[in-house]
């Protein structure tokens, strides 16, 4: 299993609904991307957090993760995410 973890810091001028919108758009991909096992967006971090949101996803294989990256459904969701995100960190690993 491959884990794909993303941390985001939103732009200062991101709309108030950005967190909910990112969560909604990305979690809607569950069950729609070949090889994706799960995808959860956490947007309720504690005040001590240095990131605003986290994506926690799992894929069957590295090839499935690569397919997710270019899948038109993901590309459409990611276009919105990029419009409200200032910083992005990614960690992919075998679990």
């Amino acid at each position: 299993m491959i884990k794909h973890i993303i941390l985001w810091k939103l732009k200062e001028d991101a709309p108030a609904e950005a967190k909910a919108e990112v969560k909604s758009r990305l979690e809607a991909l569950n069950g729609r991307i070949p090889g994706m096992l799960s995808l959860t967006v956490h947007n309720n971090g504690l005040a001590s957090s240095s990131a605003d949101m986290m994506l926690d996803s799992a894929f069957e294989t590295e090839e499935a993760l690569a397919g997710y990256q270019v899948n038109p459904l993901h590309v459409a969701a990611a276009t919105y995410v990029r419009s409200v995100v200032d910083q992005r960190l990614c960690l992919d690993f075998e679990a």
Side-chain angles (χ1 to χ4, degrees):
M1 174 175 61
I2 303 299
K3 293 291 285 185
H4 175 63
I5 308 296
I6 304 291
L7 292 172
W8 292 296
K9 185 76 174 167
L10 298 179
K11 293 178 180 177
E12 287 187 28
D13 63 347
E17 67 276 2
K19 285 183 180 182
E21 187 66 22
V22 167
K23 182 175 179 68
S24 174
R25 288 179 187 230
L26 289 172
E27 289 185 352
L29 301 177
N30 276 304
R32 301 178 70 196
I33 306 286
M36 176 191 286
L37 301 172
S38 65
L39 185 150
T40 304
V41 175
H42 301 275
N43 63 0
N44 56 347
L46 300 176
S48 58
S49 299
S50 59
D52 295 315
M53 302 184 72
M54 181 185 94
L55 177 139
D56 180 359
S57 57
F59 295 85
E60 293 174 353
T61 63
E62 285 186 65
E63 293 77 21
L65 173 58
Y68 159 78
Q69 298 291 348
V70 297
N71 184 291
L73 297 172
H74 171 257
V75 171
T79 298
Y80 175 77
V81 174
R82 282 191 292 277
S83 77
V84 297
V85 166
D86 183 44
Q87 296 176 3
R88 176 187 179 273
L89 293 172
C90 174
L91 178 65
D92 297 328
F93 59 95
E94 193 166 347

